Amino acid sequence: MTSRSVMVIGAGIGGIATAVHLARRGTHVTVFEKNQRPGGRCDHFSRDGHRFDTGPTLLIMPEVYEAEFAALGVCLHDALDLRRVDPTYHLVFDDGCQLALTSDMKSMCTQLENFEPGSFQGFLQYMAEGQRHYTLAMDHLVTRDFRTASEFFNLGNLPLLYRLKPLTPHYRHMAAYFTEPRLKAAFTFQDVYMGLSPFEAPATFSMMPYTELAHGVWYPHGGMSQVVDVLMDMARQSGVEFVFDTPVERIEVNGTSAQGVVLEDGHRLAADAVVANADLPYVYRHLLPEEDLADRMEHKRFSCSVISFFWGVDKPYPALEPHTLFLTDHYQENFERISRCLPLPENPCLYIHAPSRLDPSAAPAGEDTLIAIVPVGHLDETGEQDWCRIRDQARQAVFDRLAILGITDLEAHLKFEVNYTPLSWRKRYNLMKGSTHGLSHTLTQLGYLRPHNRHPRYQNVYFVGASTHPGTGVPTALVSARLAANRVMDDLGSGRFGAA
């Protein structure tokens, strides 16, 4: 019997992992990637001895990685040299007060009680709720493929409306555990990982601070790009073919099925199925013909974007820990401006990563490698945002915030700067609106209500990645890949569609 052929568009985490699953089940897989190297948003570059991750900078939800690597036939801890980061983050507030989030409960008790007497008990209760939310969400939402409405909307899932608190805004829910606004901020900023404001995100996402403290935040030696390298090794060993520097012009369709893909140079290539790992709204708008479906996709809620600065520095700054977050007292205003694509506030929340604290090879001896990330709104409909001005404001905000830690000379010690704005994210990775996390995770864009991993009309066109179920992030991309691959193989095995 002739091997079935599948073409994957995009060599992001989800695309590579899907290819591995399919190839190991006897399918001939070819992956087309528009850029020079794999990884998608989990990208990296080096310059003058400084190494930068341009996307994710930490590994969270390790239990998901372990399960998904095992599904690919590999032990996570054999494949990656992982170091636990504890404290996970150092939080810095406007008045200079700091909070180190750590799994050391004695340290957490002392720190929290200094902020608000009695708050440690609130923290323990919040963590207990986070554990419940994590277990329920993983078992009933994240790892399940909702192929029909009845699999999601049923009496068995009805208790989740109460148990997961999806109708309660996360920040408002924090009043049950803390009075101090800074502590409410300290345990809700993780919602930005979902591309959401804590004032809109469901309280379900208490699962994120729980998993970070209970299961750990980790760093792979060599950076997050090592995850990509391991997946690429698996893919090549499984016989997956990769074609880089090759944009796909469109998915060729006829009736209710895809015939294959047309490359930018005009070449037509036939396939039994097509899996798109490119940004989902981009696929609907540019690679498929239905304008109405593309319009509907663009009217969904998109996540925020970020401005990222990558700095090679000629001296070390030991005052900076591996992961430092500056959280503003004007927390709600900060997120309202992001959600509404308004100008930056005077003191925005921002994040600084110093990878050489965890891996000295990330910077030359006696120097430093720093990454600063400032969340911002995505590209608006008018196209009138002045991103050069906003970028300069964001850069100055980073310098101003660093002064809280006594760092006042960073600008004078920069060897070079590379920066990404929402325009960069759109150009490099075809991210619609420059939204770095794809579609946001509002209540109406979760579970069965999130875009599915198979096209509603073209029955052999599949989707994997941030904007499909279960959602954004590297661990969920691995889940998305397994679910999509299972669906492809189920359809191929059932004879839903014939050979192209």
Side-chain angles (χ1 to χ4, degrees):
M1 179 178 174
T2 304
S3 173
R4 295 299 190 106
S5 66
V6 176
M7 291 183 178
V8 177
I9 304 171
I13 294 286
I16 304 169
T18 303
V20 176
H21 281 294
L22 293 173
R24 291 190 173 179
R25 294 163 75 174
T27 304
H28 181 266
V29 185
T30 305
V31 180
F32 295 94
E33 168 57 49
K34 84 176 191 73
N35 291 327
Q36 296 179 344
R37 58 178 177 259
R41 278 166 275 193
C42 193
D43 207 349
H44 70 286
F45 72 91
S46 297
R47 180 170 169 181
D48 298 342
H50 300 267
R51 188 181 67 242
F52 303 90
D53 284 321
T54 60
T57 58
L58 40 79
L59 189 152
I60 60 174
M61 302 174 75
E63 291 186 339
V64 179
Y65 278 90
E66 289 169 355
E68 297 305 323
F69 268 58
L72 291 165
V74 173
C75 173
L76 173 69
H77 298 281
D78 289 342
L80 293 171
D81 180 6
L82 294 175
R83 172 180 174 180
R84 184 162 184 170
V85 185
D86 197 347
T88 56
Y89 306 98
H90 283 77
L91 308 183
V92 183
F93 300 98
D94 287 351
D95 62 359
C97 287
Q98 299 185 36
L99 174 62
L101 299 183
T102 173
S103 60
D104 180 342
M105 290 298 101
K106 184 176 180 180
S107 173
M108 284 297 289
C109 180
T110 301
Q111 293 184 88
L112 293 174
E113 292 296 318
N114 285 336
F115 276 89
E116 177 187 338
S119 60
F120 183 65
Q121 284 304 311
F123 164 75
L124 294 178
Q125 293 167 14
Y126 180 64
M127 287 293 101
E129 178 185 80
Q131 181 180 24
R132 292 194 300 273
H133 286 178
Y134 179 87
T135 302
L136 286 167
M138 296 305 298
D139 291 345
H140 294 276
L141 296 175
V142 176
T143 59
R144 294 186 58 190
D145 188 7
F146 300 104
R147 300 186 184 183
T148 64
S150 62
E151 294 177 28
F152 185 71
F153 299 105
N154 57 58
L155 291 176
N157 282 341
L158 196 59
L160 296 180
L161 283 173
Y162 169 75
R163 299 177 70 188
L164 280 173
K165 298 182 171 62
L167 303 178
T168 305
H170 195 182
Y171 188 88
R172 189 177 77 193
H173 183 59
M174 297 304 292
Y177 304 104
F178 307 109
T179 301
E180 168 60 56
R182 290 173 295 181
L183 296 186
K184 295 178 183 179
F187 297 105
T188 57
F189 71 83
Q190 296 90 343
D191 294 344
V192 78
Y193 299 160
M194 307 293 120
L196 281 176
S197 159
F199 299 89
E200 296 178 288
T204 310
F205 290 138
S206 63
M207 61 184 280
M208 297 309 297
Y210 160 74
T211 185
E212 288 179 343
L213 289 175
H215 306 146
V217 167
W218 300 78
Y219 184 82
H221 182 80
M224 284 296 291
S225 62
Q226 294 300 303
V227 177
V228 178
D229 291 347
V230 169
L231 291 172
M232 286 297 292
D233 287 344
M234 290 188 226
R236 291 187 169 117
Q237 290 168 12
S238 303
V240 178
E241 295 182 22
F242 288 87
V243 185
F244 295 101
D245 283 319
T246 306
V248 171
E249 181 72 23
R250 70 178 182 274
I251 299 170
E252 194 157 44
V253 298
N254 183 23
T256 59
S257 66
Q259 306 301 301
V261 300
V262 179
L263 305 181
E264 193 175 60
D265 63 8
H267 277 80
R268 284 177 163 79
L269 301 168
D272 294 299
V274 176
V275 179
N277 181 221
D279 186 47
L280 186 64
Y282 174 87
V283 174
Y284 271 92
R285 175 58 68 195
H286 296 286
L287 303 187
L288 289 167
E290 280 77 12
E291 292 288 329
D292 60 329
L293 291 178
D295 290 342
R296 272 191 274 166
M297 189 66 63
E298 287 186 27
H299 281 92
K300 292 182 179 293
R301 286 285 304 276
F302 282 70
S303 70
C304 65
S305 188
V306 299
I307 295 176
S308 297
F309 300 98
F310 307 98
W311 290 322
V313 188
D314 66 14
K315 61 174 277 191
Y317 285 91
L320 286 172
E321 301 290 343
H323 303 293
T324 303
L325 277 136
F326 292 86
L327 298 179
T328 178
D329 289 346
H330 304 289
Y331 194 61
Q332 184 167 3
E333 178 196 1
N334 179 86
F335 282 101
E336 283 181 351
R337 285 175 177 260
I338 293 171
S339 298
R340 297 168 59 191
C341 300
L342 297 175
L344 278 177
E346 185 176 345
N347 291 314
C349 295
L350 55 92
Y351 161 71
I352 297 179
H353 176 43
S356 62
R357 306 300 177 275
L358 304 169
D359 181 358
S361 68
E367 299 186 1
D368 223 341
T369 294
L370 299 178
I371 301 169
I373 299 176
V374 183
V376 295
H378 57 63
L379 301 173
D380 67 15
E381 305 297 330
T382 69
E384 296 177 356
Q385 292 154 301
D386 185 346
W387 288 107
C388 288
R389 180 179 59 82
I390 298 170
R391 177 202 61 201
D392 292 344
Q393 290 175 336
R395 183 191 299 109
Q396 188 58 52
V398 176
F399 294 150
D400 290 346
R401 304 293 262 171
L402 286 172
I404 297 174
L405 298 180
I407 298 174
T408 58
D409 63 345
L410 177 62
E411 190 171 12
H413 289 278
L414 297 183
K415 295 167 58 181
F416 63 84
E417 172 185 292
V418 175
N419 60 71
Y420 290 2
T421 70
L423 296 172
S424 312
W425 301 114
R426 182 175 67 180
K427 181 178 180 180
R428 289 175 181 274
Y429 308 111
N430 286 339
L431 302 181
M432 294 286 282
K433 303 187 181 184
S435 295
T436 48
H437 301 78
L439 297 178
S440 67
H441 294 68
T442 58
L443 183 61
T444 56
Q445 293 179 182
L446 286 174
Y448 182 78
L449 301 176
R450 197 165 183 81
H452 300 180
N453 56 17
R454 192 178 71 195
H455 194 279
R457 178 177 181 184
Y458 306 118
Q459 299 295 286
N460 60 341
V461 175
Y462 303 85
F463 308 111
V464 60
S467 292
T468 57
H469 175 71
T472 192
V474 176
T476 42
L478 295 170
V479 175
S480 176
R482 177 173 52 80
L483 298 179
N486 286 344
R487 192 158 197 181
V488 173
M489 295 308 299
D490 287 350
D491 288 349
L492 286 172
S494 69
R496 276 184 74 92
F497 42 82

